[in-house]
């Protein structure tokens, strides 16, 4: 999972550093939920995938720390905004990894997410903001399942000699891999 997360974070960081008028357009081209804050944690930019994941449209220049309506620990305990991973990342000026949380949408639905808040520094080393990529854990787990199914089909195909069956199994493997790829791009 890390390589594609790092790739998308890198693209978002690059777009933020350019700081041109096309930042929102650049973020919207990314198929994952990404948002940016200033150095104080106020949300400045977000993409459509972020709105879809959060189930709400954040208010740029007003909302702080997190784009979700409410955030909870995995135990269901409400997590105050100032203790969310993005707040920790900005306060401690470091990447926060390995944390999972439950995001609650305004309609009451909840999804398990893995945030990847990353502070942004200018050329002089001053904190200028942060970028966060949010991964929907359920989609990731389903994508992993589909990849496992694809691997199983490929193993079966390698163990038999009937060309028609081999062709069918390889086709199934490609379908599973394609579905997994679509899920990942929608995380």
């Amino acid at each position: 999972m890390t390589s594609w997360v790092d790739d998308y974070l890198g693209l978002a960081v690059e777009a933020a550093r350019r700081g041109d008028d096309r930042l929102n357009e650049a973020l919207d081209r990314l198929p994952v939920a990404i948002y940016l804050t200033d150095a104080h944690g106020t949300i400045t930019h977000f993409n459509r995938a972020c709105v879809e994941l959060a189930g709400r449209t954040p208010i740029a220049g007003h909302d702080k720390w997190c784009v979700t309506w409410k955030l909870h620990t995995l135990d269901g305990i409400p997590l105050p905004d100032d203790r969310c991973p993005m707040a920790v990342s900005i306060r401690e000026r470091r990447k926060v990894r390995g944390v999972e949380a439950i995001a609650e949408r305004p309609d009451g639905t909840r999804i398990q997410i893995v945030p990847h808040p990353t502070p942004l520094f200018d050329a002089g080393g001053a904190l200028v903001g942060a970028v966060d990529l949010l991964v929907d854990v359920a989609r990731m787990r389903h994508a992993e399942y589909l990849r496992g199914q694809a691997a199983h089909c490929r193993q079966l195909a390698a163990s038999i000699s009937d060309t028609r069956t081999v062709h069918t199994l390889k086709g199934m493997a490609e379908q599973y891999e394609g579905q997994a790829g679509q899920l990942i791009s929608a995380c």
Side-chain angles (χ1 to χ4, degrees):
M1 172 169 68
T2 305
S3 65
W4 69 265
V5 167
D6 291 338
D7 290 345
Y8 287 136
L9 275 170
L11 291 170
V13 168
E14 181 182 311
R17 287 204 171 114
R18 275 195 317 266
D20 58 23
D21 295 335
R22 295 175 295 173
L23 177 58
N24 286 332
E25 181 183 314
L27 294 177
D28 275 338
R29 281 194 303 267
L30 299 175
V32 293
I34 291 187
Y35 68 98
L36 285 84
T37 71
D38 63 17
H40 304 286
T42 303
I43 295 169
T44 59
H45 299 84
F46 52 88
N47 65 3
R48 285 187 294 258
C50 193
V51 172
E52 182 181 321
L53 182 132
R56 66 182 287 270
T57 301
I59 303 170
H62 180 269
D63 288 354
K64 286 194 79 156
W65 310 120
C66 190
V67 295
T68 60
W69 186 54
K70 293 181 182 178
L71 202 58
H72 305 273
T73 66
L74 291 180
D75 297 330
I77 299 168
L79 185 62
D81 289 343
D82 64 346
R83 291 200 351 237
C84 77
M86 177 60 95
V88 171
S89 180
I90 290 174
R91 188 172 44 252
E92 297 179 7
R93 292 169 163 61
R94 67 175 178 87
K95 295 178 182 180
V96 174
R97 300 295 187 265
V99 175
E100 292 186 27
I102 304 294
E104 184 176 344
R105 296 172 172 144
D107 67 3
T109 59
R110 292 180 177 201
I111 58 169
Q112 190 173 341
I113 60 170
V114 175
H116 295 82
T118 305
L120 300 172
F121 302 96
D122 66 14
L127 179 72
V128 294
V131 60
D132 197 356
L133 181 147
L134 303 171
V135 176
D136 180 336
V137 174
R139 286 186 182 191
M140 280 303 304
R141 288 189 178 137
H142 189 62
E144 289 170 10
Y145 167 78
L146 291 170
R147 284 199 175 117
Q149 293 294 76
H152 184 66
C153 287
R154 292 194 186 283
Q155 288 173 339
L156 285 173
S159 69
I160 56 178
S161 58
D162 177 56
T163 28
R164 186 174 178 184
T165 304
V166 168
H167 179 72
T168 300
L169 287 168
K170 286 184 177 180
M172 289 172 64
E174 289 173 9
Q175 286 180 334
Y176 283 132
E177 289 165 348
Q179 291 172 354
Q182 287 175 345
L183 282 172
I184 287 175
S185 70
C187 289

